Amino acid sequence: MEMINAGLFDIPNDVVYLNCASLSPQLKTVTEAASRAILIKTHPWTIQAKDWFIDPEKLRALAAQVISTEADSIALIPSVSYGISIAAANVAVCKGQHIIVLDKEYPSNYYAWAELAKAKEALLVTVKKEENTWTDAILNAITDNTAVVAIPNCHWTNGALINLQRVSEKVRSVGAALVIDASQSMGAYPIDIATIQPDFLVSVGYKWLLGPYGLGYLYAAPKWQREGKPIEYSWLTKNDSENFAGLVNYRDDFKPGARRFDMGEFPGFIHVPMAIAALEQILQWGVVNIQSQLRTVTQKIAGEAALLGLQFPADAERSDHMTGLDLPGAVTDGLKQDLAKENIFVGFRGTSIRVSPYLYTTAEDIDKLFAVIKRHV
């Protein structure tokens, strides 16, 4: 079941870490990149004007490869809430129109839309799964009155997959905007921008992209690269900003592509080298290979869960890299305590035990998890 040498991460042998969907362990190469980067400002006189841009451009190109798009389409952002705020500031919403979100959605992809609905006197429509798949429930909710569909690639509580291609086709047919929070899939599940054609797609970098906290990514469609309005105005996003002596000559024109949406201080002399090391490793493995390997793990999890009568997303609606297990009763404090005693780390989201393995996960790790769960079923 193992694809990589566990030595690439600093995970003790007695720890079973199944919570990558919350915060990924840090690759040793990323830690080494941070150690080198933190020393740069010791001698600030060695930092040249070009150094503010070289690494961010390298990172932009790497992030673009992960989702099969071009570097010009990527902006560097600090968080999903920042990226969603950019989307909310740009998409067209009129009084009485609908903004669609999921039931129990992650807050970063909810609050900005709730505020926009209030400001525009629009209706925030919360889609519930009920007996449908998430995909069918979303498709049923989209009407000619829909302005925005703001959804993830898979639900953050249990990994239930959403067919973005089918949703995209319906969204485009009614002239609405599509905004995707890919935080729980980018890096672990293949995303093809050309097929999905979102207006905006955002992701944090500290989960499946194995990078540092505080740095994420935004994809903007060509329309928004030309016409989009940023939510902050950094000197770094303007044309010719490499010319420090000319910064007093204010200008209106932005750097090309999605760079107009970059956060201030995006050169991030520490975070950016760390993220580069992380994405280089992910691309070396390949997202398709990562997905394939993790599918083997989640299939074993599903098999063990079925033997205990637990509920979990069906094969057709499972995202391959994470899943949620619903026990017959509530998740008890006793179960949480037993897992902690055994150094087994999972997530607890809603009514689910969220299990999110990674390439270091072994069959023995899964056996240890279910040995504890069996005591409480």
Side-chain angles (χ1 to χ4, degrees):
M1 186 179 291
E2 287 179 282
M3 174 180 171
I4 65 170
N5 184 339
L8 296 178
F9 295 88
D10 186 14
I11 302 175
N13 291 332
D14 64 340
V15 168
V16 176
Y17 191 73
L18 299 169
N19 203 15
C20 194
S22 179
L23 192 66
S24 71
Q26 190 157 282
L27 285 157
K28 290 181 179 179
T29 54
V30 174
T31 301
E32 291 163 3
S35 297
R36 292 191 298 270
I38 204 167
L39 295 175
I40 291 176
K41 198 168 178 287
T42 304
H43 297 153
W45 52 88
T46 66
I47 302 174
Q48 306 299 309
K50 61 182 177 60
D51 297 327
W52 292 65
F53 301 93
I54 291 175
D55 274 359
E57 286 305 310
K58 182 177 182 179
L59 177 60
R60 200 185 309 274
L62 292 170
Q65 289 182 56
V66 174
I67 55 173
S68 303
T69 191
E70 307 79 27
D72 278 357
S73 298
I74 299 296
L76 304 179
I77 59 175
S79 63
V80 162
S81 58
Y82 187 99
I84 295 298
S85 293
I86 288 173
N90 282 277
V91 296
V93 177
C94 298
K95 181 177 180 180
Q97 286 192 299
H98 297 173
I99 300 172
I100 293 177
V101 296
L102 295 193
D103 185 33
K104 299 178 181 177
E105 173 62 289
Y106 195 80
S108 294
N109 196 24
Y110 173 84
Y111 288 128
W113 303 116
E115 291 299 319
L116 182 62
K118 292 177 188 176
K120 298 292 186 178
E121 297 184 61
L123 179 64
L124 190 67
V125 176
T126 300
V127 174
K128 296 183 181 294
K129 184 173 179 291
E130 297 177 345
E131 298 302 318
N132 295 315
T133 65
W134 277 117
T135 301
D136 288 336
I138 294 165
L139 293 173
N140 291 340
I142 297 171
T143 70
D144 290 339
N145 205 30
T146 300
V148 183
V149 177
I151 57 174
N153 192 179
C154 62
H155 204 287
W156 72 290
T157 62
N158 64 1
L161 188 65
I162 294 165
N163 187 320
L164 293 180
Q165 183 174 351
R166 290 180 62 200
V167 172
S168 175
E169 291 168 356
K170 182 72 175 286
V171 168
R172 292 198 303 273
S173 74
V174 300
L178 177 62
V179 180
I180 299 167
D181 176 1
S183 296
Q184 291 297 1
S185 54
M186 186 173 170
Y189 189 88
I191 296 172
D192 187 340
I193 289 293
T195 299
I196 301 166
Q197 299 181 47
D199 287 79
F200 295 95
L201 178 145
V202 299
S203 176
V204 297
Y206 63 87
K207 298 180 187 290
W208 303 99
L209 292 170
L210 308 182
Y213 190 82
L215 176 60
Y217 309 96
L218 175 141
Y219 163 85
K223 171 185 176 180
W224 303 115
Q225 295 175 33
R226 297 187 302 268
E227 307 170 6
K229 181 179 179 181
I231 60 174
E232 67 169 306
Y233 292 87
S234 167
W235 62 273
L236 287 156
T237 64
K238 297 293 187 176
N239 263 333
D240 200 33
S241 53
E242 296 89 343
N243 177 14
F244 285 18
L247 293 180
V248 294
N249 302 316
Y250 306 132
R251 54 195 305 160
D252 295 327
D253 54 327
F254 292 100
K255 286 184 176 296
R259 292 172 183 83
R260 66 178 59 208
F261 299 119
D262 282 341
M263 63 182 173
E265 300 185 13
F266 69 79
F269 294 111
I270 298 172
H271 279 177
V272 169
M274 294 172 71
I276 287 172
L279 293 192
E280 285 178 337
Q281 181 62 80
I282 285 173
L283 290 169
Q284 181 180 325
W285 287 328
V287 176
V288 172
N289 292 331
I290 293 170
Q291 178 202 21
S292 176
Q293 188 66 22
L294 293 179
R295 183 188 302 120
T296 303
V297 182
T298 54
Q299 283 175 341
K300 177 175 173 58
I301 293 169
E304 296 291 337
L307 292 175
L308 295 179
L310 307 185
Q311 298 296 312
F312 53 90
D315 288 352
E317 201 184 6
R318 194 163 58 243
S319 55
D320 293 331
H321 57 284
M322 59 187 286
T323 192
L325 307 177
D326 288 333
L327 275 63
V331 176
T332 64
D333 289 340
L335 172 57
K336 293 180 181 180
Q337 291 165 6
D338 279 358
L339 289 169
K341 287 176 184 176
E342 299 289 342
N343 284 332
I344 299 172
F345 299 92
V346 295
F348 300 99
R349 300 295 184 269
T351 60
S352 297
I353 300 174
R354 190 183 66 186
V355 186
S356 49
Y358 201 63
L359 302 184
Y360 44 73
T361 302
T362 66
E364 291 73 22
D365 290 336
I366 305 306
D367 290 339
K368 289 178 182 178
L369 168 66
F370 279 95
V372 175
I373 292 177
K374 285 177 184 176
R375 303 176 205 161
H376 297 268
V377 175

